Amino acid sequence: MNEEDDRSRFEAVYRRTHEQILGYAVRRCSSPEDAADVVAETYVIAWRRIAELPDGESGRLWLYGVARRVLANHRRGERRRLTRHTELTEEIEYLYATPSPESGHDGVDEAMSMLSDADRELLALALWEGLDPGEIAQVLDCSRNAARIRLHRARKRFAKALEQARPPARFASQPLVEKEAR
């Protein structure tokens, strides 16, 4: 292929996949600016590796895989730059936060935070991106069976974390006075 063919092919892939890759990044980044950086870097890599970019649906899944790795690199860099800031924020929240017992939260966020990055990514690919195990396998560069097993285990760990995050129903329904009287 010549450079003009590569450019046309890249532009077609970009038009066809940009919205999906942007959505993937936006749902995983803390700011729109970070998401834009992840998407830009993803397509820079796609341009540099245009000869390796598969055609059709496989190309979209290949881009998800690239975006996933770019996002992982971005997160590592953020962690390196913000380690002390995070420690101070957690200390302040611990010392000065006043949790509300009637906040109405269902424990999903807390349960997700208990999971590993890999489990959160698997669940997000299945739920947010709507990918089936075969597509997840292509994104993660593993076998379909491995993706199915990992997804099953991630769902089980999520269910267990959710049980831990939610207050037991028997305590939630009893008035405070009754608990103290015991």
Side-chain angles (χ1 to χ4, degrees):
M1 279 189 150
N2 65 34
E3 190 172 332
E4 188 60 36
D5 291 340
D6 286 347
R7 182 178 177 168
S8 295
R9 181 168 177 249
F10 176 81
E11 288 172 355
V13 167
Y14 180 85
R15 281 191 301 274
R16 193 173 60 249
T17 62
H18 179 262
E19 189 174 318
Q20 292 168 323
I21 300 301
L22 178 60
Y24 175 87
V26 165
R27 287 186 287 274
R28 288 162 176 78
C29 289
S30 58
S31 73
E33 293 81 10
D34 288 347
D37 289 345
V38 167
V39 171
E41 181 65 20
T42 298
Y43 284 103
V44 165
I45 291 168
W47 172 250
R48 277 190 256 145
R49 296 175 59 193
I50 192 73
E52 298 172 39
L53 179 62
D55 291 325
E57 181 65 13
S58 294
R60 179 178 70 99
L61 298 174
W62 185 87
L63 285 168
Y64 272 126
V66 170
R68 180 176 159 268
R69 289 184 288 279
V70 168
L71 186 60
N73 288 338
H74 174 77
R75 286 179 177 156
R76 280 191 294 273
E78 283 295 306
R79 279 193 292 265
R80 283 191 301 267
R81 287 186 293 276
L82 301 175
T83 298
R84 184 62 185 140
H85 178 267
T86 302
E87 291 169 358
L88 289 172
T89 301
E90 288 172 355
E91 184 177 344
I92 289 168
E93 287 175 355
Y94 174 75
L95 293 174
Y96 300 105
T98 54
S100 167
E102 298 299 321
S103 64
H105 101 91
D106 60 6
V108 171
D109 289 339
E110 187 178 342
M112 286 296 280
S113 71
M114 292 178 185
L115 298 176
S116 68
D117 287 344
D119 283 350
R120 282 194 301 271
E121 180 66 11
L122 275 165
L123 293 172
L125 285 169
L127 297 173
W128 286 348
E129 305 308 325
L131 301 181
D132 67 36
E135 293 169 326
I136 292 171
Q138 285 187 346
V139 171
L140 300 180
D141 194 27
C142 64
S143 72
R144 178 183 176 85
N145 196 42
R148 287 178 57 228
I149 290 169
R150 290 178 192 175
L151 184 58
H152 173 74
R153 290 176 180 166
R155 286 177 173 150
K156 286 179 80 170
R157 284 189 285 267
F158 174 73
K160 187 175 181 178
L162 192 57
E163 285 177 16
Q164 293 174 354
R166 289 183 173 158
R170 66 173 195 253
F171 295 121
S173 63
Q174 293 177 346
L176 184 59
V177 177
E178 266 186 52
K179 289 182 195 173
E180 291 175 355
R182 289 183 182 178

